[in-house]
Amino acid sequence: MSLKSLVSLLFLAGSSIGAAIEPRAEEPVYPKGVTWSADQPPPFEYAHQEVNLNVKPSGGNKSHPLLWGIMFEDINHSGDGGIHGQLLMNNGFQGINPGLTAWKGVNDAKIAQDKDTPLTTAITSTLKIKVPKDTDEELVGAANTGYNGMPVRKEKYNNYFWMKGSYKGPVTVRLVGSASQVVYASQEVQVDSSDDKFTYYETSFIPEASSDGNNEWQFLVDPKKTAGQTIHLGLPQLFPPTYKDRKNGLRKDVAEFIEELHPRFLRLPGGNNMEGNIPETRWKWNETIGPVENRPGRQGTWGYANTDALGLHEYFEWCEDMKMEPVYGVWVGATIGGPIVEGEELKPYIDDVLRELEYILGDKESTELGKLRAQNGHPEPFNLHYVEIGNEDWLNGCEQYPSRYKSAYDALHAKYPQLQYISSVSRFDPKCYPKVADDVLGDLHHYLSPNDMVAHFNEFDNWEGRIIVGEYASTTNNDGTFTRFSTMQGACAEAVYMIAMERNSDRVEMSCYAPFFEHLDMNQWQPNMIINDNGPNTLTGSISYYVQKLFSNHAGEETLPVDSNAHFGPLYWSAMKSGNKHLVKVANYGDKRVVTNIMIPGNPANATVDLIASDDIVWHGPLIFNSPLNVKVQTRTLPLEKKQSGEFVLDLPPWAVAAVYTD
Ligand code: AHR
């Protein structure tokens, strides 16, 4: 069997991944009626030219060790309802007008948001449950339907809640199918609750697994013992296993899926969600720390309430647990289209950033806020080297940014000279660019169509100065229509751009795709890198996720020059060295197969390829995508054939991304 048919066969064999269900968005049909079998490889036309890549042993430039990272802000319920472990929605009635969102009465109990019975000064409402006087039901109470349901698996769930109301006896907490009424878990807790104060309880259970995500959590009492009474439920919380077993931690499954990306840094906490719509609704660090019952939450910029249970500590612990460098954004006067705070009026906010940094970095004994951090469970200062001043200040507030940046930089740098400060505006935007020092590290964001992204391939070749690309993605198709889930063509264009960054990573120090997560059907932005639903096996990597993972898991320390018989386009490449290993990345941004002959220094005996491609393209064209339960494209690992003359042969399908690596 020839190499071409071997690769085609493997290509075909690996193509049907995921269960067959109707895709959730329209897929283009192109071209119709093509059939093939293992003996008849997919009829992709060959490019007229084979591309020879002759990797040189030295002569490139150093690569920044933090090049591949992730960006996080709470958008698309990526925090609450996403990576944060807590599964109940609207558990603390936070944000504006929460009402009874996600709550319902069970068996004739009347429920209401009670603003007159606060749990704390931060959690100012609790759930009032009025037990009916005459009922034949065994149990009555309230149900929370989570973030469009909740996953129910055979694993340990921790339940936490406060209760007020004169009642001694059992309370039942359950996980129940909302439509099926199947009870997956039920646990009684003996309470001794009084009318004059809230009492805290916790319990756990291991449910039977549910076959779907249409599930709810129930809090129930015996109406015979409580007939006509009013009971208050305060800040209930339900956690499946958390990442690294942290209390108030991240969801284990989601966090581990992210960990596979091997991100070197985390840019946080936004994004627009850090800025707020007006100064008052900005992300306030000091309201996201300490016990969750003392965190008031806020109406996030993306139109829903943030509980802030995923707060400053949880972000920094996430960085610690995944060994990521935090790239921490601080507020310096710009809001989303709202008023800009500048000059003298900005000073109190800069003082607040100084307090924020003292909380993160201050000594546990000699600084007041370092002491508070220690009381909150982290005696040692958090790891922090990068602070970004603002977000996207080339938009609202551009003209005042140089002076706002300077005020912030002068104050922060005087106290923390060891930190690297990042300007949210790059050199690219001279009007808003702060020229305070020669080595300003700027931040560049790109949301582009695939062709536009590829057109930026040379962007960094003559770039002056240092840069991070703090947000980028291919967000529309080439005809301008929106991309629901990242397409093969879009992900390929991102790979071309990543090759551009990798080739210039002595200047491009960090980069991260954005946004990085969506809770399916609760999104404000599309496409997103990871998609999650509540049902089994719905945690889904978009094609962009696999591209990010491929680059991040095959990072190198220095680039190597490559001689070729071809110009860039439709094939793009970069070569790297990592210790004794060699790495070659290629992206085929075109609809023909390209045979690539790769000569690697030292004439190694073996090379392997991680390939992201799909023969579904024959049926549907390059706009195919992954969606929950319909994953078409993943990474496959294949050995490469070596020619007598020493080159490794990679028969690259159209619209494909690959990393070739030696042992
Ligand atoms: O990633 C989504 C948004 O895009 C970010 O919040 C903002 O920084 C950018 O405009």
Side-chain angles (χ1 to χ4, degrees), residues 73 75 271-272 302 391-392 445 447 471 514-515 525:
E73 67 176 320
I75 176 174
N272 294 161
W302 291 103
N391 175 62
E392 291 195 339
H445 296 180
Y447 293 109
E471 295 180 27
W525 185 287

Side-chain angles (χ1 to χ4, degrees), residues 70 78 82-85 241-245 249-263 318 321-322 324 516-517 530 532 539 545:
I70 52 176
S78 56
I83 192 171
H84 188 244
T242 57
Y243 180 61
K244 308 277 182 201
D245 280 331
L250 307 180
R251 252 179 74 167
K252 187 167 186 286
D253 55 343
V254 178
E256 286 177 356
F257 198 62
I258 292 162
E259 193 173 34
E260 285 181 37
L261 289 167
H262 188 189
W318 175 8
D321 291 345
M322 281 190 200
M324 299 181 291
F516 106 128
F517 189 96
I530 296 170
N532 194 28
L539 183 58
Y545 169 88

Side-chain angles (χ1 to χ4, degrees), residues 568-621:
F568 286 123
L571 191 80
Y572 295 82
W573 59 83
S574 64
M576 314 277 298
K577 216 173 146 180
S578 172
N580 295 328
K581 287 186 180 177
H582 288 90
L583 304 147
V584 177
K585 310 231 180 48
V586 285
N588 183 5
Y589 185 76
D591 55 11
K592 295 197 173 71
R593 298 170 86 157
V594 178
V595 176
T596 314
N597 303 308
I598 305 173
M599 194 70 178
I600 292 179
N603 197 16
N606 301 305
T608 308
V609 63
D610 281 0
L611 176 66
I612 301 174
S614 173
D615 44 358
D616 272 330
I617 282 170
V618 160
W619 296 97
H620 299 293

Side-chain angles (χ1 to χ4, degrees), residues 386-425:
Y386 292 90
V387 171
E388 181 159 3
I389 298 181
N391 175 62
E392 291 195 339
D393 287 86
W394 64 85
L395 295 170
N396 197 24
C398 155
E399 266 141 41
Q400 309 92 336
Y401 186 62
S403 75
R404 289 188 287 117
Y405 180 93
K406 185 168 173 7
S407 312
Y409 178 87
D410 287 349
L412 306 185
H413 185 261
K415 183 101 194 274
Y416 300 102
Q418 77 277 20
L419 298 181
Q420 169 67 59
Y421 297 95
I422 300 173
S423 151
S424 84
V425 178

Side-chain angles (χ1 to χ4, degrees), residues 3 50-56 561-565 571-576 582-587 594-601 603-604 606-609 640-643 645-652 658-662:
L3 173 78
E50 289 196 7
V51 175
N52 301 328
L53 301 178
N54 185 7
V55 180
K56 299 280 159 200
V562 178
D563 280 349
S564 179
N565 61 334
L571 191 80
Y572 295 82
W573 59 83
S574 64
M576 314 277 298
H582 288 90
L583 304 147
V584 177
K585 310 231 180 48
V586 285
V594 178
V595 176
T596 314
N597 303 308
I598 305 173
M599 194 70 178
I600 292 179
N603 197 16
N606 301 305
T608 308
V609 63
L640 279 184
E641 187 179 290
K642 193 174 173 190
K643 286 183 181 177
S645 46
E647 297 101 335
F648 292 99
V649 185
L650 174 62
D651 179 358
L652 200 61
V660 170
Y661 48 98
T662 58

